[in-house]
Amino acid sequence: MKKGKFLIKATLISSQSDDIKTKLSKLLNLFARFIKAEDTSLYLVNENQDQALPFNLGSGANSGPTITREWIETFKNLANGATVCVDLDKEVQGPAHHATIIKTNNRIMGLLLFRMPEGRISKKNRKAIRCFGTICANLINQERSGASHRANIGAKVVNSVDRYVFIFDQAGKIIFANTHLRMKTGYGLEDLVNRNVDDFLKNISSASCDNHYESLIGVPETNLSLSLVGTDSEMINLTGQLARCNLENKECYLAIFSEVESLSKELARFTRLFRNNPVIGTINTLPDHRFINVNSAFLKTTGYQIGELIGKSWMELGLIANYEQVKTVIHEIESKGLIENVEVQLRSKDGTISEVLLCAEVVYCFGERLLLVVMIDITSQRGIQNLYYEQTRRLNSIIEGTRLGTWEWNIQTGETKFNERWAAMLGYTIAELEPVSIETWLLLVHPEDIINAQVLLQQHFNGELEFYDVEVRAKAKDGSWVWIHDRGKVIEYDKNGHPLMMYGTHSDITKKKDFEFRINELSIRDPLTNIYNRRYVYERLEQDLKRFARHRSVFALAIMDIDRFKDINDRHGHLAGDQIIKEFTELIQDNLREYDILGRYGGEEFVVIMYDSDKAEAALIIERILEKVRNRTFSYHDAIIRFTFSAGVCDSSEFDVEAITNERLIGLADKRLYYAKQLGRDRIVT
């Protein structure tokens, strides 16, 4: 689950008309699933702040360590959302509990205790903890004060989501619009609230909202496409989803949309993969199965040119020789959305028949239902009379060709069989790992990945997922971590519906993961210095400003510019200038804290984001760097080069929260840099 969806789900739960006990139970379960916590316990602190009672989840009191008055005192100075590691129950083996407070107006409302695998909390999980605490504190406070304005409980949370979110009633009257929507469209909250949603969303009929939107509830996210009109009359194309919600016992609609343009990169990536995939593939319209795209493998197999196919159907071209036999199965796609392993006779342009194994799935693209078809050529295997041997040989051929590791697992006994390729992926032979069982594999999986894998496996056992499909890291013989795509399915159940036998494959996707990482790094790194580029710095600033708006966490920004850098290039050449920039970068990095952000802002300009620092603290760090530059001699070949730099420093506290932007923050630091140049360079201005 992504952070944005977690925030929206938590906000929606908090806005329902359920009693507080039900809402806190749902929030606690959502929170535990999202951060994958163990032994999660919620305690509510009484009005006298001297006792914490376990929150009742329904069937009985929460199990967990006892919270005494002395422990409550130790938590009073803990910041909202911060966590500490405590050992409340020394009898319990394993990692200690993490504890965080739930408070509002400097008053503790409750305590949240949980255990994390290996005792680690990620940055994403820390944000979830703060979100959970904020919503729960509001709920408890409103319950105790008798307030009923549930519409505002999650407003701060929803305003941090970079999607278009708004709520409107059954008459179409807008109740709420989040910050992202208002920023992108240019509207103020007063421009939207109490106005009709049809004034801003196009492609919507004028029928009553209750009737018009009823049919849209629960449709897949990419199946609902609308246009949002901004203040400049520009249309923003959106795709998203509607859901019912309840605010103050009033039925409303919650709309969550993303910009269509944000999907273009994924679409382009899919197009490249589809076009160059060696597996035969086509994309067709529904329900008439007309071609809108085919890949190179299909053209090579059938002998057609793409212009001969586009706009025509399978039947029209006679591409399926045994169409009458398989058309019933093919049309099952209309109701099931997926068909697998249908044997089809594919007729090429010259009449040659190929036996292929066909799989097809309904996909959604900008509101249109399409059919994605892939086929594997099995012509050479049709001569085998024994069906079992045929299927086994076909599977083995595919596995050998794709270099897949295979596994067979007796779930009841734990007995597991692996092929040699499975072991070779990790640098072993099967003999080196014997005796092998399911524990052999579990001991190799990275601790951070195994919990997610077990959750998905249990969901498959329960019938919630048709297939088990997960990406995990496994430890190789040489100590390195290999990325494995682990897929499988239970094939045999006992009479009580319990899983007996499961079969699956492993594929090594380490190169793919490394490639994705390198591509991402190249997109955010400066090629000369390997520090962050200007685009990435702007993206980080956007995140930092949102955090500042929520938590008032002050941070500083400094811009540094090498003095008279043009003279260095003119006198010693541009290669010398490049060398100076690289050595200057290393010097800055050596004198910054590991969590500060350094980026190259321009040719000889650098920008630094310093967290938990005001401008005075940041200036001291920059001053130390300047003093080291003054006292250092740089060289290039036989040339001795000395230089200084000027800097402008500011911090986020110099702006009102409502007024601060990237441009204003950088503009203030740049203005002070310019003033430092005017004063004679070789100095810092704050």
Side-chain angles (χ1 to χ4, degrees):
M1 187 191 306
K2 293 185 178 179
K3 184 188 74 174
K5 288 192 176 180
F6 167 75
L7 297 179
I8 292 169
K9 282 187 177 182
T11 302
L12 189 57
I13 289 171
S14 70
S15 67
Q16 299 300 307
S17 58
D18 299 328
D19 57 56
I20 187 171
K21 179 178 174 181
T22 301
K23 286 190 281 194
L24 285 178
S25 296
K26 291 179 179 179
L27 285 169
L28 192 62
N29 288 330
L30 177 68
F31 169 78
R33 290 199 312 273
F34 179 73
I35 72 169
K36 301 178 178 63
E38 301 172 348
D39 300 332
T40 308
S41 304
L42 178 63
Y43 289 77
L44 301 184
V45 178
N46 64 3
E47 295 284 352
N48 296 328
Q49 302 279 288
D50 62 0
Q51 190 177 18
L53 299 176
F55 172 64
N56 192 324
L57 286 176
S59 60
N62 233 7
S63 60
T66 302
I67 306 298
T68 64
R69 179 172 186 167
E70 290 73 22
W71 275 111
I72 295 175
E73 289 295 326
T74 66
F75 295 135
K76 282 190 174 179
N77 295 323
L78 192 63
N80 199 15
T83 61
V84 293
C85 199
V86 295
D87 191 6
L88 300 178
D89 189 351
K90 300 184 186 305
E91 298 302 319
V92 177
Q93 299 297 317
H97 280 86
H98 287 280
T100 184
I101 60 170
I102 297 170
K103 71 178 182 179
T104 182
N105 298 325
N106 293 320
R107 186 173 181 80
I108 298 179
M109 313 299 289
L111 297 170
L112 175 66
L113 299 178
F114 56 92
R115 281 195 176 102
M116 295 297 293
E118 301 296 313
R120 290 192 291 267
I121 303 178
S122 67
K123 185 182 294 185
K124 180 182 75 169
N125 287 343
R126 292 188 186 280
K127 293 179 180 178
I129 292 168
R130 287 194 293 271
C131 164
F132 177 83
T134 299
I135 293 180
C136 286
N138 275 282
L139 283 171
I140 299 167
N141 186 48
Q142 290 179 12
E143 178 74 13
R144 291 178 178 176
S145 64
S148 61
H149 301 293
R150 285 188 294 273
N152 295 323
I153 289 177
K156 289 184 179 180
V157 178
V158 174
N159 281 332
S160 69
V161 179
D162 57 354
R163 293 192 183 190
Y164 296 77
V165 181
F166 50 93
I167 301 173
F168 55 94
D169 63 19
Q170 290 184 347
K173 185 186 296 183
I174 297 175
I175 299 171
F176 171 82
N178 73 336
T179 301
H180 182 77
L181 183 146
R182 300 198 304 271
M183 288 178 61
K184 291 292 187 178
T185 60
Y187 293 113
L189 194 58
E190 66 280 358
D191 300 323
L192 297 168
V193 173
N194 292 325
R195 293 278 300 280
N196 195 283
V197 69
D198 290 345
D199 295 340
F200 304 97
L201 286 177
K202 299 307 174 184
N203 304 338
I204 292 180
S205 76
S206 58
S208 71
C209 286
D210 191 43
N211 293 331
H212 181 64
Y213 291 111
E214 182 69 33
S215 63
L216 300 178
I217 299 302
V219 297
E221 185 169 314
T222 52
N223 197 41
L224 180 55
S225 299
L226 303 171
S227 296
L228 180 63
V229 183
T231 55
D232 55 3
S233 297
E234 288 290 326
M235 292 286 193
I236 302 174
N237 296 320
L238 303 177
T239 181
Q241 187 177 25
L242 287 176
R244 284 194 182 278
C245 66
N246 191 301
L247 298 178
E248 301 179 5
N249 296 319
K250 183 179 181 180
E251 286 287 333
C252 296
Y253 293 99
L254 171 66
I256 307 168
F257 288 93
S258 299
E259 221 165 315
V260 169
E261 284 74 11
S262 66
L263 304 176
S264 59
K265 289 185 179 179
E266 282 299 314
L267 183 60
R269 181 171 178 269
F270 169 78
T271 302
R272 290 195 300 272
L273 290 173
F274 172 78
R275 183 186 303 121
N276 300 318
N277 200 302
V279 176
I280 302 167
T282 75
I283 301 177
N284 302 78
T285 58
L286 285 173
D288 53 9
H289 298 167
R290 295 187 179 277
F291 291 97
I292 61 172
N293 203 353
V294 298
N295 69 356
S296 300
F298 185 86
L299 296 176
K300 182 178 180 181
T301 301
T302 62
Y304 283 95
Q305 298 295 316
I306 192 166
E308 299 175 288
L309 299 169
I310 302 303
K312 297 180 180 178
S313 70
W314 290 85
M315 279 190 66
E316 194 174 337
L317 293 170
L319 286 165
I320 301 180
N322 58 334
Y323 186 82
E324 290 301 319
Q325 294 176 336
V326 300
K327 68 178 181 180
T328 302
V329 179
I330 292 176
H331 283 290
E332 285 182 11
I333 195 74
E334 297 294 326
S335 58
K336 294 184 178 179
L338 177 70
I339 56 174
E340 294 183 296
N341 301 332
V342 178
E343 293 188 12
V344 173
Q345 294 176 343
L346 182 65
R347 180 187 286 119
S348 63
K349 186 177 180 180
D350 63 6
T352 303
I353 300 296
S354 299
E355 300 286 344
V356 298
L357 197 62
L358 182 145
C359 298
E361 182 175 359
V362 174
V363 296
Y364 294 90
C365 184
F366 303 132
E368 185 178 2
R369 293 174 75 242
L370 302 174
L371 185 65
L372 174 63
V373 180
V374 294
M375 291 168 281
I376 299 174
D377 192 334
I378 59 170
T379 305
S380 62
Q381 300 172 4
R382 287 296 297 145
I384 303 174
Q385 298 302 314
N386 187 299
L387 181 60
Y388 175 79
Y389 182 61
E390 175 192 355
Q391 291 176 333
T392 302
R393 181 176 176 180
R394 181 169 57 216
L395 180 59
N396 288 338
S397 297
I398 293 171
I399 290 171
E400 184 65 26
T402 55
R403 296 180 61 77
L404 291 175
T406 63
W407 50 269
E408 304 171 26
W409 177 26
N410 186 320
I411 300 167
Q412 302 299 317
T413 67
E415 180 185 359
T416 311
K417 296 180 182 179
F418 303 102
N419 69 351
E420 282 293 345
R421 175 58 189 158
W422 178 91
M425 288 181 188
L426 303 178
Y428 292 100
T429 64
I430 288 293
E432 290 178 289
L433 295 172
E434 289 180 344
V436 293
S437 68
I438 192 62
E439 291 298 322
T440 308
W441 168 242
L442 295 178
L443 291 172
L444 294 171
V445 180
H446 196 290
E448 292 180 1
D449 300 333
I450 197 166
I451 292 181
N452 181 49
Q454 289 175 333
V455 168
L456 293 174
L457 182 63
Q458 190 60 52
Q459 289 177 342
H460 177 55
F461 286 170
N462 296 340
E464 300 170 40
L465 297 175
E466 186 175 0
F467 298 95
Y468 166 70
D469 192 323
V470 69
E471 294 180 354
V472 298
R473 289 161 289 179
K475 197 163 191 177
K477 185 177 180 180
D478 62 6
S480 63
W481 292 102
V482 178
W483 274 100
I484 299 293
H485 191 176
D486 186 9
R487 289 172 285 192
K489 185 175 183 178
V490 174
I491 302 300
E492 185 179 350
Y493 295 84
D494 66 15
K495 62 181 180 180
N496 296 318
H498 299 137
L500 291 178
M501 292 298 299
M502 186 172 181
Y503 298 82
T505 62
H506 281 178
S507 55
D508 186 344
I509 57 171
T510 306
K511 289 184 179 179
K512 172 194 162 208
K513 287 289 187 179
D514 290 344
F515 180 73
E516 289 174 354
F517 176 77
R518 289 197 300 271
I519 290 296
N520 181 63
E521 283 294 298
L522 287 172
S523 71
I524 64 174
R525 295 283 181 179
D526 171 59
L528 178 63
T529 62
N530 200 38
I531 61 175
Y532 294 117
N533 58 23
R534 182 171 182 161
R535 179 180 68 81
Y536 179 78
V537 171
Y538 268 82
E539 290 176 357
R540 284 298 296 263
L541 275 177
E542 287 285 354
Q543 300 170 14
D544 296 335
L545 291 179
K546 290 177 182 177
R547 186 171 63 252
F548 174 67
R550 292 194 301 271
H551 309 296
R552 305 298 190 272
S553 50
V554 176
F555 65 93
L557 183 121
I559 298 180
M560 298 178 286
D561 182 82
I562 298 176
D563 296 329
R564 297 185 173 88
F565 184 72
K566 184 176 182 300
D567 293 346
I568 296 175
N569 279 335
D570 292 344
R571 184 176 304 174
H572 303 288
H574 288 280
L575 292 179
D578 288 348
Q579 184 64 31
I580 290 298
I581 286 176
K582 287 194 284 188
E583 292 189 27
F584 182 48
T585 300
E586 294 172 0
L587 190 151
I588 298 173
Q589 286 179 310
D590 290 343
N591 290 275
L592 291 177
R593 298 165 300 187
E594 62 179 9
Y595 52 83
D596 292 331
I597 296 295
L598 172 63
R600 190 175 179 192
Y601 190 63
E604 66 273 17
E605 282 188 306
F606 297 82
V607 61
V608 182
I609 306 173
M610 299 184 187
Y611 298 103
D612 301 322
S613 302
D614 58 21
K615 63 180 180 181
E617 295 168 328
L620 289 175
I621 297 174
I622 301 300
E623 183 64 46
R624 286 199 297 270
I625 296 173
L626 179 56
E627 187 62 28
K628 291 188 178 184
V629 171
R630 289 174 180 147
N631 297 326
R632 178 168 169 174
T633 298
F634 297 83
S635 62
Y636 180 73
H637 296 317
D638 297 331
I640 303 299
I641 303 172
R642 300 180 68 88
F643 67 90
T644 59
F645 67 85
S646 304
V649 183
C650 66
D651 65 52
S652 55
S653 68
E654 298 185 70
F655 297 86
D656 293 333
V657 174
E658 296 77 13
I660 190 169
T661 63
N662 273 356
E663 291 73 16
R664 289 183 177 180
L665 191 66
I666 292 175
L668 180 57
D670 203 39
K671 180 180 178 181
R672 289 173 179 171
L673 168 63
Y674 182 72
Y675 188 47
K677 295 284 188 181
Q678 285 184 319
L679 293 176
R681 300 179 174 84
D682 189 17
R683 67 194 65 225
I684 301 163
V685 172
T686 60

